[in-house]
Amino acid sequence: MAQAKPSGECRPRGRPQLRSDEETRRIVFDAARHAFAVDGYAATSTEELARRAGISTKTLYRLFPGKAALFEAMCADRLERLLSAVDLQGSDKVDIETGLRAALLACADLALDPEVVALQRMVLQESAAFPELAANFYNNGISRTVRTLAGWLRVQVKRKRIAIDDAEEVAGMLIGMVASTPQRAAIYGGMPLPSRKQIERRVQTCAALFLDGCRAPVAVSL
């Protein structure tokens, strides 16, 4: 009688699971954010980006036509977390002060993220040689952040919670109050970025200052 073979010998080997394009893009974005912030845009080659992401240059070019397109997509991807965070605070069940603090904190988290600040420093340094970098960073970062917060503010105006005339102008002012000073201090002065507690305290102060001046008047019935 023939002896039975060990159970493991005839077991077919499973095929390695392939990553989806979406997962691969996420890995490339993470690698690119770090590489651009540390080494700069000009000094970072597509070959180096592919190596850091653990993919071939052929795969990188299939997903992104070039380094500029990758940079633009990376900036846009970074904003998605902001968009979802702000949208989640638009419910009628959330009072205006809580909602505003959450929206401003989402903006501050993005603007004062160490990698985002490092990227902004890199854009400032290399924008003369690569002007498209500044345009992409502005359109997919600064401008889009302002438009997102402005959309949230318009909802609050419609619900008669606040009274303002120009939502985009006010959004820019609010983001400036929350993030501009510590951001400039880090980029130009080499100062450390604020801690989470410091950011939350700054957001609380900015929200209170804004609402003291812009909260819609409550109608009093006689």
Side-chain angles (χ1 to χ4, degrees):
M1 181 183 294
Q3 291 184 343
K5 291 184 178 179
S7 59
E9 286 186 12
C10 297
R11 189 176 298 163
R13 294 183 179 182
R15 293 181 179 177
Q17 291 187 341
L18 297 176
R19 281 198 305 252
S20 67
D21 282 352
E22 185 59 35
E23 187 180 358
T24 302
R25 284 191 185 93
R26 185 81 46 196
I27 292 170
V28 172
F29 289 149
D30 289 341
R33 267 195 302 271
H34 181 74
F36 289 150
V38 173
D39 301 326
Y41 183 82
T44 303
S45 66
T46 51
E47 290 78 10
E48 174 64 13
L49 289 172
R51 187 190 66 77
R52 289 189 183 219
I55 61 174
S56 66
T57 52
K58 182 179 179 181
T59 299
L60 185 69
Y61 279 117
R62 180 174 65 80
L63 297 173
F64 308 100
K67 193 164 61 169
L70 168 56
F71 183 84
E72 183 174 1
M74 180 194 70
C75 290
D77 174 77
R78 193 71 167 167
L79 264 291
E80 295 308 320
R81 274 176 278 177
L82 168 67
L83 293 171
S84 60
V86 173
D87 288 345
L88 287 175
Q89 301 301 327
S91 170
D92 280 326
K93 298 177 183 178
V94 178
D95 66 87
I96 180 65
E97 189 162 1
T98 300
L100 179 60
R101 286 184 188 178
L104 291 180
L105 191 58
C107 294
D109 281 344
L110 180 80
L112 299 175
D113 178 89
E115 284 192 350
V116 171
V117 171
L119 283 173
Q120 186 163 349
R121 186 183 292 114
M122 180 271 293
V123 167
L124 289 170
Q125 291 171 344
E126 304 201 31
S127 59
F130 302 97
E132 71 276 8
L133 287 185
N136 286 339
F137 193 85
Y138 178 79
N139 292 327
N140 289 307
I142 299 169
S143 181
R144 193 173 171 195
T145 306
V146 170
R147 290 198 305 271
T148 300
L149 183 58
W152 184 90
L153 289 170
R154 288 189 188 97
V155 172
Q156 310 315 310
V157 171
K158 193 175 293 185
R159 291 172 178 162
K160 301 187 184 305
R161 291 174 164 182
I162 56 175
I164 57 174
D165 294 325
D166 189 328
E168 288 211 14
E169 184 179 40
V170 171
M173 292 177 180
L174 282 169
I175 293 172
M177 287 172 65
V178 169
S180 289
T181 297
Q183 195 180 66
R184 286 197 300 264
I187 292 174
Y188 299 109
M191 302 295 291
L193 288 166
S195 66
R196 182 68 175 183
K197 278 190 175 181
Q198 289 172 322
I199 292 173
E200 289 175 351
R201 187 163 59 245
R202 192 176 183 89
V203 162
Q204 184 176 348
T205 302
C206 291
L209 286 171
F210 171 73
L211 290 175
D212 282 348
C214 297
R215 197 187 299 268
V218 179
V220 179
S221 56
L222 300 176

